[in-house]
Amino acid sequence: MSQTQSDDEDAGFLKISKLEETGISATDIKKLKEGGFYTVESVAYAPKKALLAIKGISETKADRLLAEAAKIVNLGFTTAMDVHQRRQEIVTITTGSRELDRILGGGIETGSITELFGEFRTGKSQLCHMLAVTAQLPISMGGGQGKCLFIDTESTFRPSRILSIAERFSLNGEETLDNIAYARAYNTDHQTSLLVQAAAMMSEARFSVLIVDSAMALYRTDYAGRGELAARQIHLAQFLRQLQRLADEFGVAVIITNQVVAQVDGGASMFNPDPKKPAGGNIIAHASCTRLYLRKGRGENRICKIYDSPSLAENECTFAILEDGIGDAAE
């Protein structure tokens, strides 16, 4: 019993079965799992109407579940010093490029959403492949010491790239591929439902990174024209909220890629040398903690600019796409 509890604490989350100790029935726990709730935190963070949407959970039960979860998970105020100490312990995952890691303050931050956006051929998918491997490295080597979960919407995932990157870090190719849980998403509803499976898998094994390449592609085809724009943005906001919930609950680094759209608003674009902006509007802008703008450089070189971040200075650097993944640009 105590062993399981210490394992959960090491993992940074508490399994939903912990609620059984507070008198919640096993049947209700099963219903919660079927509804996509696998940790005590997921219940504590959920609005009441999300619990009421689960078949068999009445208003009285929902109130009790929220009350019991709130006793276990601290939902109140804490001091800025506590937050500072927790921030010191945050793991960053290396990108493979020293320059890119430098401007990112060590690498891709876990526990938050990082958005990579840019035109085609700017290195978004290449960076995703790189992080799928470096996430598996020990923390001492700049890794996340966990598995990778990869949701692919554009059929850009290539295992051969994973193998060549694994070779660079002297990792066993087959084991590296086995540690990547891959799913192809075919529509926006499917893309969202995969996150329920993701939560189930993360509660059973240690994952350090969740990649969605690309988050916006299916939304741009499933919803057409201005008439469906409001519905699209609501659905997108719910998808991004679930991603943030996974980052909060399991401490994984969430990496999403995004496409760009041309700005065709007359005067503003006339004086802008680069009239492109990320797709998805304000919804995706507010949901992403760190936004990185990738653009083409000379040859295999690419330029990464910190477009938005609560803690990183606006800066840019050059990196290269090499045979064995992302590396430093040749002078």
Side-chain angles (χ1 to χ4, degrees), residues 177-305:
L177 288 172
D178 279 339
N179 285 334
I180 298 171
Y182 171 85
R184 175 81 202 279
Y186 294 98
N187 59 62
T188 49
D189 291 335
H190 182 214
Q191 184 174 317
T192 305
S193 69
L194 285 170
L195 296 187
V196 176
Q197 291 180 42
M201 291 162 75
M202 286 178 187
S203 67
E204 297 301 326
R206 179 177 162 79
F207 282 82
S208 57
V209 70
L210 164 59
I211 296 165
V212 185
D213 184 23
S214 119
M216 274 305 296
L218 296 173
Y219 283 96
R220 293 180 81 177
T221 52
D222 285 9
Y223 297 86
R226 285 187 178 273
E228 292 187 293
L229 185 61
R232 183 190 89 166
Q233 293 303 84
I234 291 166
H235 198 291
L236 176 62
Q238 288 168 344
F239 174 71
L240 293 167
R241 181 68 198 90
Q242 279 185 260
L243 283 178
Q244 185 58 59
R245 203 180 85 178
L246 292 174
D248 291 339
E249 278 176 53
F250 301 104
V252 294
V254 176
I255 294 107
I256 59 174
T257 69
N258 192 4
Q259 303 167 340
V260 289
V261 290
Q263 275 182 296
V264 287
D265 47 1
S269 59
M270 199 185 300
F271 304 105
N272 185 355
D274 190 19
K276 289 183 287 294
K277 60 180 182 181
N282 290 329
I283 295 283
I284 205 162
H286 292 304
S288 304
C289 182
T290 305
R291 308 186 88 191
L292 305 178
Y293 177 27
L294 305 180
R295 59 185 200 274
K296 301 174 186 109
R298 273 194 195 151
E300 73 273 10
N301 289 354
R302 303 289 183 270
I303 299 152
C304 174
K305 180 184 179 182

Side-chain angles (χ1 to χ4, degrees), residues 88-100:
Q88 298 298 311
E89 293 165 12
I90 282 179
V91 172
T92 52
I93 298 170
T94 180
T95 60
S97 161
R98 281 191 294 268
E99 271 300 289
L100 193 46

Side-chain angles (χ1 to χ4, degrees), residues 2-228:
S2 58
Q3 180 62 44
T4 314
Q5 196 170 333
S6 68
D7 284 351
D8 283 358
E9 282 165 7
D10 287 346
F13 61 86
L14 295 163
K15 288 189 179 180
I16 193 86
S17 52
K18 175 105 178 124
L19 285 174
E20 282 191 57
E21 293 171 28
T22 64
I24 305 292
S25 72
T27 315
D28 288 342
I29 300 286
K30 188 170 179 246
K31 286 173 189 169
L32 286 169
K33 283 184 177 177
E34 285 167 3
F37 295 88
Y38 293 90
T39 65
V40 178
E41 286 84 354
S42 65
V43 175
Y45 301 157
K48 187 176 172 181
K49 67 176 182 180
L51 297 178
L52 291 172
I54 299 168
K55 195 177 176 183
I57 301 290
S58 63
E59 193 154 344
T60 317
K61 276 184 186 175
D63 286 334
R64 180 153 181 238
L65 284 164
L66 289 169
E68 294 299 344
K71 287 178 192 172
I72 300 169
V73 180
N74 179 21
L75 297 172
F77 285 96
T78 183
T79 66
M81 190 64 204
D82 286 343
V83 177
H84 177 62
Q85 283 171 347
R86 278 205 302 273
R87 296 265 329 146
Q88 298 298 311
E89 293 165 12
I90 282 179
V91 172
T92 52
I93 298 170
T94 180
T95 60
S97 161
R98 281 191 294 268
E99 271 300 289
L100 193 46
D101 285 349
R102 180 184 62 78
I103 69 163
L104 290 172
I108 300 290
E109 190 180 279
T110 53
S112 68
I113 299 176
T114 301
E115 178 194 349
L116 313 172
F117 72 90
E119 286 184 285
F120 63 95
R121 210 175 67 81
T122 50
K124 302 186 297 293
S125 294
Q126 295 299 324
L127 200 44
C128 289
H129 281 73
M130 187 74 189
L131 291 163
V133 177
T134 58
Q136 301 179 37
L137 294 171
I139 289 169
S140 58
M141 286 176 70
Q145 211 166 314
K147 296 181 178 184
C148 164
L149 215 143
F150 201 114
I151 297 174
D152 182 9
T153 66
E154 297 180 298
S155 193
T156 50
F157 181 74
R158 296 292 179 271
S160 56
R161 286 296 288 147
I162 299 292
L163 292 170
S164 56
I165 297 166
E167 205 174 306
R168 165 177 165 180
F169 293 101
S170 306
L171 296 172
N172 179 304
E174 285 185 13
E175 280 180 23
T176 306
L177 288 172
D178 279 339
N179 285 334
I180 298 171
Y182 171 85
R184 175 81 202 279
Y186 294 98
N187 59 62
T188 49
D189 291 335
H190 182 214
Q191 184 174 317
T192 305
S193 69
L194 285 170
L195 296 187
V196 176
Q197 291 180 42
M201 291 162 75
M202 286 178 187
S203 67
E204 297 301 326
R206 179 177 162 79
F207 282 82
S208 57
V209 70
L210 164 59
I211 296 165
V212 185
D213 184 23
S214 119
M216 274 305 296
L218 296 173
Y219 283 96
R220 293 180 81 177
T221 52
D222 285 9
Y223 297 86
R226 285 187 178 273
E228 292 187 293

